[in-house]
Amino acid sequence: MQMPEPEADILAGKARIVARLREVLPNGAVIDDPVALKVYECDGLSAYRCPPMCAVLPGSTEEVSAVMRVCHEAGVPVVPRGSGTSLSGGALPTADSVILGVARMNRVLETDYDNRFIRVEAGRTNLSVTGAVEADGFFYAPDPSSQLACAIAGNIAMNSGGAHCLKYGVTTNNLMGVTVVMADGEVIELGGAHLDAGGLDLLGLICGSEGQLGVVTEATLRILAKPEGARPVLIGFDSNEVAGACVSDIIRAGILPVAIEFMDRVVIRAAEAHAHPGYPDCEALLIIEVEGSEAEIDHQLGRIIEIARHHEPVALRESASAEESAKIWKGRKTAFGAMGRINDYMCLDGTIPVSELPLVLRRIGEMGEGYGLTVGNVFHAGDGNMHPLILFDANKPGDLEKAEALGADILTLCVEVGGCLTGEHGVGVEKRDIMRAQYSDDDLAIQMDVKDVFDPAWVLNPAKVFPLDASAPRRLAK
Amino acid sequence: MKQSVSSEQELAEAVAAAAGPLRIRGGGTRDIGRPVVGEVLSVAGLSGVDLYEPGALTLVARAGTPLAEIDALLAGEGQRLAFEPMDHRVLLGTGGEPTIGGAVAANVSGPRRVQAGAARDFALGARFVDGRGRVLKNGGRVMKNVTGYDLVKLLAGSWGTLGVLTEVSLKVQAVPETEATLVARGLGLAEGVAALARALGSPWDISGTVHLEVGEASETRVRIEGSEMSVRYRAGALAGAGFAGWEVVEGVASAVLWREVRDVAPFAGDGRVIWRLSVKPSDAPVISAALTAAGLVHRGIYDWGGGLMWLALEDGGDDAGEGLIRGQIAAHGGHAMLVRASEALRGRIAVFQPQPAPVAALMRGLKQKFDPRGILNPGLMMSEHDKAAG
């Protein structure tokens, strides 16, 4: 993976830029000590690292605006950062960049139950948004696995999903408004406590733009009343094909579970060894969760189990208690960590049409064998968002490159069957250079045209999303 | 002059070869916006469903496909478009056939918007022709996709000013077994909106909330959809939580009530000026009262728990009530659109909500990139002073 060469004149002007940033920010908000900067040299995609020139931690929209004015004037690249949990390198710096972290901006600004929204500063963590309203019976729906740590700012940048978005949608479907600091420091408001846009839907454009169009500092989020209850059922099958067919039949029957999660044997065994959730040892496991009152849950699970029985499951277990439900979910939510105990892994994020699940799972297995690498699969089956985990050994020369090549092959396959490169993690640097698998040069050009409008000088997170050679003329034209 | 095309390629060529402004038309049912002077370019010929996978809740259709055809196809599998697009023919007295491309291009969503989301939330992908005549695509046909910028959201609600949709991919939804509506009569607007807020803030998954003040007595409605047992349970639960005494209307009779709301049918068939306001729901009674106090007499349909105000003006005066209505928006936030008015009024008054200068500049910039010659529905969305933005 390549990053642009840092610009020598920016590096040479470092002292002046740091001094300017210190002038506009309070004490302690500018970090340029090499040891303290270690924290910012990578995000969740830790295979790639580079210390930034410095990092800033502004405490308000005004301070973010001041930082952007300084950096814009000096032509210094700015990499916005939420909590740094990106799995695609969205917050990976370059040596000539300033990391703009919003972690200090984590206040709740307004809670309105009559109109069902909460307004927060964008550095607030995902789970703590729900935490601010759950005592009153509300929750914020998008629930990425990293929800304990990840910030709303990053959720908006990547349009994050989660296990429960089958029913509630992803970030963009739950985002009502944002305050955005533009590349030149100007502050704009989009959306708010009302629905939809009065002009072009710029809010929908900002969401998922990976910090390239502006820095989101505040967000108005839709909150929902918590259902009376929820309960999962665990269903095991002796083949991936049959599990896939069962998912399709459930959806066709008109049942809308809040989540349908899928794990294959590699992941089931890793999860069992790690969290002991009591998973059956089988080829494919589904966790299906439904919501409502006790009677409604019984009714829905009854229908799901009836459909599942037609597919001759090898295991079928309805959760009988809150503890058991928590245990079932713990295995799933810690599955990535469990795989990490086996070896280093690379987590992919392609989405495919649900109907292609059996074919794609089989091909992933074959391709992994071809490379001599093991791949585990854990994913959101209801919406086809796969997470193949490629196990490799980072200390073994050539293994990372092999894993990267296999990853690219798998993602290309996802596109070939009608899917996409990334369902919820974002392009970042990781998928940047294979974007042409999905989009033509013209398709990419119109997207880069959008960036030209919002950030003509390509100051914001410039080396991401688009193939480096495609963005080069625009980045260098500034 | 009218040009019709029957393929994406022909459409691209027609746009590339256009010498002047084009009025993009699907079914021609939504005569909304500033009148556009230009040659009509019809995409009704781009019709047909390319892919439908009921097991994946996915539909891919060409932009000119009539909604009626899609509804029928989906109904055959027990599915539907969840965003419940309004049929504008009822309110506007237009002819033609509403198309899926039109519904997405105008981001048309009905009462279920509060629960399920808008047209833009169900649009997974799009193919379109930009102002240079290039065929472009964005998104795809899968439910989760963050590969590159989300231009689908931008195109949804751009009214053909950025590109001409040729194909859209949509997420569809299963039709629930049944539905029921709880109805109360005679509540005041503030009281009605407060009741709707209580319903929407309950755990019972409400899929429609409207307060109507169209005739003598007001009517307030709350919709529940789901399986027989679940609908019965939730109707009972609501009755026990402050909705006792509300009449329960079930099944087909309930559906009729919501079709009427969806199409704003009570305001059909007369010449009154119609405004559509999107506001914070609890602001609706405040705004309505302020307008009345200022002498702007109106009837109202308050959908989306009050957040979507359809106002029919008895007499808007020379500016069709714009000054007072946009004054309220300035004070409270949200946006207001002049949906039904004579061409003369729509030529004179900003139909879409004027945007603050920096936001308007971004919109102009996007228009310039997507349609450098300014030929796609020029002037339709933007007011006189920034007409260049289309």
Side-chain angles (χ1 to χ4, degrees):
Chain A
M1 202 274 306
Q2 256 197 326
M3 288 300 271
E5 280 299 309
E7 287 191 33
D9 48 341
I10 296 178
L11 293 176
K14 174 179 172 180
R16 202 179 56 84
I17 291 157
V18 168
R20 280 286 292 131
L21 290 168
R22 289 217 159 100
E23 280 170 34
V24 300
L25 292 176
N27 276 343
V30 180
I31 301 162
D32 68 338
D33 170 64
V35 176
L37 280 181
K38 279 260 168 211
V39 180
Y40 301 100
E41 66 180 25
C42 72
D43 54 24
L45 187 68
S46 55
Y48 309 120
R49 291 164 192 266
C50 172
M53 189 160 63
C54 68
V56 294
L57 298 172
S60 68
T61 298
E62 294 68 34
E63 288 179 14
V64 172
S65 170
V67 168
M68 289 313 302
R69 278 181 211 283
V70 169
C71 292
H72 192 258
E73 206 181 282
V76 178
V78 174
V79 177
R81 178 181 169 109
S83 298
T85 58
S86 171
L87 294 171
S88 60
L92 176 71
T94 47
D96 58 358
S97 71
V98 171
I99 284 274
L100 193 169
V102 294
R104 283 189 182 172
M105 301 175 60
N106 59 6
R107 290 177 304 163
V108 172
L109 302 171
E110 187 183 359
T111 310
D112 185 335
Y113 295 121
D114 279 345
N115 296 297
R116 297 162 307 284
F117 70 83
I118 182 170
R119 201 156 58 82
V120 299
E121 289 182 324
R124 194 168 180 88
T125 60
N126 174 292
L127 196 60
S128 73
V129 172
T130 289
V133 296
E134 68 185 343
D136 295 298
F138 284 80
F139 73 109
Y140 174 61
D143 62 338
S145 292
S146 56
Q147 67 183 143
L148 191 62
C150 65
I152 292 298
N155 290 180
I156 293 170
M158 295 309 191
N159 187 17
S160 303
H164 290 76
C165 55
L166 181 57
K167 179 170 178 189
Y168 296 113
V170 295
T171 301
T172 192
N173 312 116
N174 293 277
L175 179 67
M176 299 171 70
V178 286
T179 301
V180 186
V181 178
M182 302 296 294
D184 62 1
E186 179 142 40
V187 180
I188 63 169
E189 303 274 343
L190 300 171
H194 58 276
L195 295 174
D196 298 337
L200 298 176
D201 188 353
L202 301 189
L203 178 64
L205 187 58
I206 288 282
C207 191
S209 62
E210 307 208 5
Q212 289 200 310
L213 302 185
V215 181
V216 174
T217 56
E218 292 175 18
T220 304
L221 307 170
R222 179 170 86 131
I223 51 172
L224 299 168
K226 246 179 128 149
E228 290 178 66
R231 205 190 310 148
V233 59
L234 203 66
I235 312 172
F237 296 95
D238 60 10
S239 91
N240 290 328
E241 278 86 350
V242 177
C246 182
V247 170
S248 180
D249 282 358
I250 289 166
I251 290 171
R252 267 194 93 131
I255 305 166
L256 186 63
V258 279
I260 304 181
E261 297 290 295
F262 187 119
M263 283 179 260
D264 72 1
R265 189 187 285 277
V266 174
V267 178
I268 296 168
R269 286 189 172 165
E272 187 56 33
H274 177 55
H276 317 294
Y279 290 161
D281 188 34
C282 55
E283 208 55 49
L285 190 63
L286 298 177
I287 300 174
I288 305 177
E289 182 160 275
V290 298
E291 290 178 341
S293 63
E294 277 303 306
E296 288 173 297
I297 289 172
D298 285 342
H299 179 73
Q300 291 178 79
L301 286 185
R303 290 184 63 199
I304 288 168
I305 288 166
E306 189 189 321
I307 292 166
R309 288 209 195 284
H310 288 295
H311 295 280
E312 296 173 355
V314 295
L316 201 159
R317 203 173 77 223
E318 210 177 315
S319 164
S321 67
E323 293 73 41
E324 205 175 334
S325 298
K327 219 165 127 188
I328 287 175
W329 273 112
K330 193 179 172 206
R332 163 62 185 92
K333 292 223 170 188
T334 59
F336 287 19
M339 290 290 283
R341 282 166 35 127
I342 302 176
N343 214 334
D344 298 303
Y345 67 81
M346 176 179 289
C347 174
L348 306 180
D349 174 43
T351 306
I352 57 167
V354 181
S355 50
E356 303 291 338
L357 270 177
L359 167 80
V360 171
L361 286 171
R362 195 178 67 241
R363 288 284 299 128
I364 288 175
E366 292 165 3
M367 288 154 92
E369 274 170 35
Y371 279 93
L373 295 171
T374 301
V375 185
N377 286 285
V378 48
F379 55 91
H380 315 302
D383 47 34
N385 186 194
M386 308 190 70
H387 291 310
L389 302 170
I390 303 172
L391 292 170
F392 69 101
D393 182 352
N395 294 320
K396 195 167 144 195
D399 232 28
L400 171 64
E401 289 71 22
K402 236 165 47 169
E404 284 178 334
L406 171 58
D409 285 356
I410 291 173
L411 293 181
T412 305
L413 170 69
C414 290
V415 174
E416 278 168 12
V417 301
C420 66
L421 297 172
T422 170
E424 58 184 1
H425 295 173
V427 177
V429 292
E430 194 199 22
K431 274 96 58 181
R432 183 190 67 190
D433 296 307
I434 52 170
M435 282 288 272
R436 289 193 180 94
Q438 186 167 339
Y439 289 123
S440 72
D441 285 336
D442 280 349
D443 296 337
L444 292 172
I446 194 83
Q447 294 183 38
M448 289 187 286
D449 282 348
V450 169
K451 178 154 175 70
D452 282 342
V453 172
F454 281 75
D455 177 18
W458 282 64
V459 166
L460 282 165
N461 222 3
K464 312 286 169 69
V465 183
F466 305 105
L468 270 194
D469 62 320
S471 65
R474 298 174 197 246
R475 282 186 285 114
L476 302 176
K478 58 188 178 177
Chain B
M1 281 279 282
K2 183 177 165 182
Q3 235 185 320
S4 293
V5 292
S6 56
S7 73
E8 188 177 66
Q9 197 46 45
E10 270 181 47
L11 176 70
E13 284 162 13
V15 172
L22 297 170
R23 289 171 64 186
I24 313 305
R25 177 179 287 181
T29 66
R30 304 181 211 277
D31 182 15
I32 292 173
R34 291 175 68 85
V36 175
V37 181
E39 187 183 355
V40 172
L41 177 61
S42 170
V43 298
L46 297 181
S47 183
V49 171
D50 293 317
L51 179 142
Y52 176 34
E53 284 187 5
L57 300 176
T58 318
L59 175 90
V60 181
R62 291 180 210 166
T65 312
L67 274 175
E69 189 182 320
I70 288 174
D71 288 343
L73 178 71
L74 292 175
E77 293 287 341
Q79 296 184 341
R80 67 183 179 188
L81 296 176
F83 54 94
E84 217 175 356
M86 168 179 184
D87 182 346
H88 277 85
R89 288 176 299 187
V90 178
L91 182 68
L92 301 179
T94 44
E97 273 292 325
T99 62
I100 188 64
V104 172
N107 189 29
V108 180
S109 320
R112 204 175 291 112
R113 168 74 180 95
V114 283
Q115 179 225 31
R120 54 91 95 176
D121 294 300
F122 289 87
L124 305 173
R127 292 177 65 87
F128 63 102
V129 172
D130 75 357
R132 301 174 207 214
R134 293 185 299 186
V135 177
L136 302 173
K137 65 175 181 303
N138 191 261
R141 64 176 171 101
V142 288
M143 281 179 216
K144 279 164 83 181
N145 186 347
V146 296
T147 319
Y149 296 165
D150 192 347
L151 303 185
V152 183
K153 299 282 182 298
L154 183 65
L155 290 165
S158 68
W159 294 79
T161 62
L162 297 183
V164 187
L165 292 175
T166 59
E167 183 188 273
V168 290
S169 309
L170 296 161
K171 178 181 173 182
V172 301
Q173 185 188 59
V175 181
E177 249 170 67
T178 189
E179 65 173 81
T181 301
L182 277 64
V183 183
R185 293 187 182 80
L187 301 182
L189 177 54
E191 219 181 341
V193 166
L196 298 180
R198 280 204 310 282
L200 285 167
S202 79
W204 299 307
D205 209 13
I206 306 303
S207 74
T209 44
V210 68
H211 178 86
L212 300 106
E213 296 196 342
V214 296
E216 285 310 304
S218 76
E219 203 169 302
T220 313
R221 301 173 185 166
V222 173
R223 178 171 65 185
I224 321 163
E225 298 173 286
S227 67
E228 293 274 0
M229 74 79 50
S230 171
V231 166
R232 209 175 324 115
Y233 166 78
R234 286 180 284 151
L238 279 166
F243 292 82
W246 290 48
E247 182 193 342
V248 180
V249 180
E250 290 174 332
V252 178
S254 166
V256 169
L257 294 179
W258 292 98
R259 174 169 284 259
E260 178 193 31
V261 175
R262 183 194 79 177
D263 295 340
V264 198
F267 293 159
D270 61 49
R272 286 179 294 180
V273 162
I274 306 283
W275 283 87
R276 176 187 186 275
L277 284 64
S278 177
V279 300
K280 184 166 82 176
S282 62
D283 285 338
V286 182
I287 291 171
S288 174
L291 293 177
T292 302
L296 196 66
V297 179
H298 59 273
R299 310 302 291 169
I301 296 174
Y302 304 90
D303 198 357
W304 300 357
L308 178 65
M309 306 172 68
W310 291 99
L311 301 182
L313 307 188
E314 296 306 330
D315 174 16
D318 285 346
D319 76 341
E322 189 204 13
L324 289 169
I325 288 171
R326 292 246 159 87
Q328 287 300 309
I329 294 294
H332 296 280
H335 48 89
M337 179 181 180
L338 177 61
V339 173
R340 188 175 75 188
S342 66
E343 281 215 1
L345 273 172
R346 286 186 284 135
R348 207 166 69 226
I349 291 163
V351 169
F352 289 77
Q353 179 72 33
Q355 300 294 316
V359 177
L362 290 173
M363 291 181 186
R364 267 197 306 278
L366 291 170
K367 173 72 173 170
Q368 173 64 31
K369 294 288 187 187
F370 279 73
D371 178 21
R373 292 182 294 159
I375 59 168
L376 302 178
N377 280 347
L380 187 144
M381 283 186 85
M382 301 290 266
S383 55
E384 194 60 41
H385 62 279
D386 44 24
K387 193 173 175 181

